[in-house]
Amino acid sequence: MRFFARIREVVGESQLELPLSAETATLDALQASLGTRGEAWRGALTEANLVRAVNHQVVHGNTPLAEGDEVAFYPPVTGG
């Protein structure tokens, strides 16, 4: 897993590796599991418009995960 920008600053990690398990077999389950690490994690990973990617592809909704997938969490992106 990789965490970027404000998400990285809040959780204090730029990357993390976890084994695939029943509790982390989908993106939503993984995100919920990470939220149990404490209030900072829960707040950062429930931020409105959080961008999630699996294997460098932005995904919307729940996504099944496989061993070796790279998951990334980004804060909302703005630009002009």
Side-chain angles (χ1 to χ4, degrees):
M1 258 166 294
R2 302 201 44 171
F3 306 98
F4 292 92
R6 186 173 61 250
I7 305 299
R8 177 184 63 230
E9 293 169 10
V10 171
V11 302
E13 301 274 354
S14 62
Q15 57 187 11
L16 182 65
E17 191 169 322
L18 294 176
L20 188 66
S21 70
E23 291 81 30
T24 60
T26 68
L27 186 55
D28 285 353
L30 172 64
Q31 190 170 339
S33 177
L34 291 170
T36 66
R37 291 176 167 246
E39 187 57 40
W41 286 82
R42 192 170 22 264
L45 296 176
T46 57
E47 185 174 323
N49 300 318
L50 179 73
V51 178
R52 308 181 309 170
V54 176
N55 298 324
H56 306 276
Q57 297 291 320
V58 172
V59 294
H60 303 281
N62 201 15
T63 301
L65 299 175
E67 193 68 42
D69 281 349
E70 180 184 78
V71 175
F73 295 96
Y74 303 84
V77 179
T78 61

